Amino acid sequence: MTNATLPGDPPGGRRAIAVWSIGVAVYFVAVIFRTSLGVAGLDAADRFHVNASALSTFSILQLLVYAGMQIPVGLLVDRLGTKKVLSIGAVLFTAGQLGFAFSPSYGTALASRALLGCGDAMTFISVLRLGTRWFPARRGPLVAQLAGLVGMAGNLVSTLVLARLLHGIGWTPAFAGSALAGVIVLVLTLFFLKDHPEGHEPEPFPHQGAAYVRRQIAASWREPGTRLGLWVHFTTQFPAMVFLLLWGLPFLVQAQGLSRATAGELLTLVVLSNMVVGLVYGQIVARHHAARLPLALCTVGATALMWAATLAYPGDHAPMWLLLVLCTVLGACGPASMLGFDFARPANPPERQGTASGITNMGGFVASMTTLFAIGVLLDATGDDYTVAFSAVFVLQALGVTQILRLRGRAARRERERLVASRVETVHVPAA
């Protein structure tokens, strides 16, 4: 794989970093709001007087909206540009977080999380598009992993800061106060973010209503790389997402007998591990493109192995060293899910990047939503047997790996064909 800059590549540089950082800041705040329920799950159950299934509905609805919005958001990004979509997203997720702070009932709280999920859905695809518009293509894998790393930093803020605020100043002040961050990033976006550098405006692309939408989706889906990216994202992301978003804290406290403080430290370990592994994966893939699939499959295998060891441990509680290893391995799930975009990105031209990224990003969130629901139902059905409930992880992993192995050959052949074609075009580009 050549590291040469392709004709028409954005220049990158300090200006690119500054503009991209604004977009990433919006995503950072969205992740804080998205994962805020993960540290407030037990408090939410007490506040709204709900059981495990009803509690899981908060996250399921949020992820259902998120997943359902991915293709529409991809189309919007392709059509309207990053700035407009990020601005709309910031308004929606801030309103959702503020509504959640003041919700007097379970129903209004559900509506607030749905609104939050809608705004959150508009952030990551926009940030990926911003990266492709401002940085050279060869920087794509590293830029994407860095975006994911910043998102996990948002998760860290939820775990360390919001959790303390929640137990220090109470539900309403903590959630309402955090909503101010949404206002700040909205102002930054409106005044300082630009869709692309000067001289790198995208070519006009005709938009013809429903026909355009169908063409964009169909063309993206026909690419094996897009479908492979979806299944890589599906298979790798959800174990950590489910753990951090809702069920990790109850599992560690109720099933493993840990204090909330110790459980919070283990959740923090997942986030820190994610940040370190993200940097490593980004550097590896930037230098060795063929490492994408082995990294993804190894992450799935390691995750399955550690969950099996933890759930099957013969004692009443798994030892601390095993929980530490489990949480460290779960930290690799986020970076591995980012590899899905590295399959979809080269499979699609610039005018379809948003749509293809939206399709890919649906994978992990559909898997997370399914698993959240399954765990909640199984916990209620088995009297809070976490061993049975968390076994749902293995079912979805098996499905995902089957699809990855089925698509990998076709995606690799198609990518080689595109690479050869791009080299031929580069050779024939006339000198300026």
Side-chain angles (χ1 to χ4, degrees):
M1 177 183 173
T2 180
N3 281 337
T5 301
L6 297 175
D9 253 1
R14 293 181 180 178
R15 179 84 190 282
I17 294 173
V19 174
W20 177 78
S21 296
I22 295 171
V24 171
V26 179
Y27 175 56
F28 171 78
V29 174
V31 173
I32 294 175
F33 293 178
R34 178 202 304 169
T35 57
S36 58
L37 187 61
V39 297
L42 296 177
D43 299 88
D46 292 336
R47 181 180 177 87
F48 300 113
H49 310 291
V50 295
N51 60 14
S53 295
L55 181 61
S56 67
T57 303
F58 277 122
S59 296
I60 291 168
L61 178 61
Q62 185 178 329
L63 293 184
L64 178 63
V65 172
Y66 187 106
M69 286 288 292
Q70 287 309 292
I71 292 178
V73 167
L75 291 164
L76 282 174
V77 171
D78 287 336
R79 182 164 189 172
L80 300 179
T82 300
K83 181 172 183 173
K84 291 180 181 178
V85 176
L86 273 179
S87 299
I88 296 169
V91 170
L92 293 176
F93 67 60
T94 302
Q97 186 77 341
L98 198 59
F100 196 58
F102 293 98
S103 292
S105 66
Y106 178 66
T108 54
L110 275 179
S112 297
R113 295 307 287 187
L115 188 62
L116 193 157
C118 187
D120 181 19
M122 297 183 173
T123 58
F124 189 63
I125 300 300
S126 299
V127 170
L128 288 180
R129 170 65 173 262
L130 199 64
T132 63
R133 291 299 188 192
W134 280 91
F135 292 97
R138 63 191 172 86
R139 299 293 185 193
L142 183 58
V143 169
Q145 288 287 356
L146 286 173
L149 185 151
V150 173
M152 290 309 296
N155 203 323
L156 194 62
V157 170
S158 286
T159 305
L160 296 179
V161 179
L162 191 58
R164 289 188 176 139
L165 286 175
L166 185 66
H167 297 116
I169 62 177
W171 180 281
T172 299
F175 281 101
S178 67
L180 292 175
V183 177
I184 293 171
V185 295
L186 174 61
V187 171
L188 290 173
T189 301
L190 290 173
F191 284 96
F192 300 108
L193 191 136
K194 287 177 63 69
D195 284 341
H196 47 73
E198 291 80 2
H200 290 269
E201 293 81 2
E203 294 183 7
F205 192 77
H207 303 286
Q208 300 173 357
Y212 159 75
V213 171
R214 287 194 297 269
R215 283 199 305 272
Q216 285 284 90
I217 296 174
S220 296
W221 184 255
R222 277 197 299 269
E223 293 292 345
T226 304
R227 301 198 302 277
L228 179 59
L230 179 146
W231 283 107
V232 168
H233 199 269
F234 177 101
T235 314
T236 53
Q237 186 202 48
F238 79 92
M241 176 69 72
V242 167
F243 197 79
L244 290 171
L245 199 60
L246 184 61
W247 291 121
L249 188 69
F251 169 75
L252 294 171
V253 173
Q254 296 176 349
Q256 299 302 321
L258 302 179
S259 67
R260 283 198 183 199
T262 303
E265 290 170 357
L266 286 174
L267 294 179
T268 303
L269 175 61
V270 178
V271 177
L272 293 174
S273 173
N274 183 297
M275 297 171 74
V276 173
V277 175
L279 288 174
V280 174
Y281 278 18
Q283 293 287 352
I284 291 174
V285 175
R287 289 173 168 79
H288 308 286
H289 215 49
R292 293 169 298 171
L293 199 57
L295 283 175
L297 291 175
C298 285
T299 302
V300 174
T303 305
L305 177 63
M306 294 316 304
W307 264 123
T310 302
L311 297 176
Y313 192 79
D316 291 336
H317 305 303
M320 180 56 70
W321 67 264
L322 184 56
L323 295 176
L324 287 170
V325 176
L326 170 67
C327 290
T328 302
V329 171
L330 284 175
C333 292
S337 72
M338 298 299 298
L339 299 174
F341 298 101
D342 292 325
F343 291 101
R345 188 184 303 111
N348 292 273
E351 65 270 15
R352 287 207 311 264
Q353 287 295 322
T355 306
S357 295
I359 292 172
T360 300
N361 207 30
M362 282 181 62
F365 289 93
V366 169
S368 298
M369 178 179 60
T370 304
T371 310
L372 283 166
F373 176 74
I375 290 174
V377 170
L378 289 170
L379 284 174
D380 284 340
T382 60
D384 291 338
D385 188 331
Y386 280 89
T387 299
V388 174
F390 271 92
S391 296
V393 170
F394 305 120
V395 177
L396 272 76
Q397 284 184 321
L399 171 63
V401 168
T402 300
Q403 295 299 317
I404 290 171
L405 296 178
R406 184 177 69 84
L407 289 164
R408 61 176 179 170
R410 275 177 280 176
R413 286 194 297 273
R414 180 67 172 146
E415 191 169 303
R416 284 195 298 269
E417 292 169 1
R418 280 188 172 275
L419 182 60
V420 170
S422 67
R423 285 174 175 169
V424 171
E425 290 175 3
T426 302
V427 169
H428 290 89
V429 170

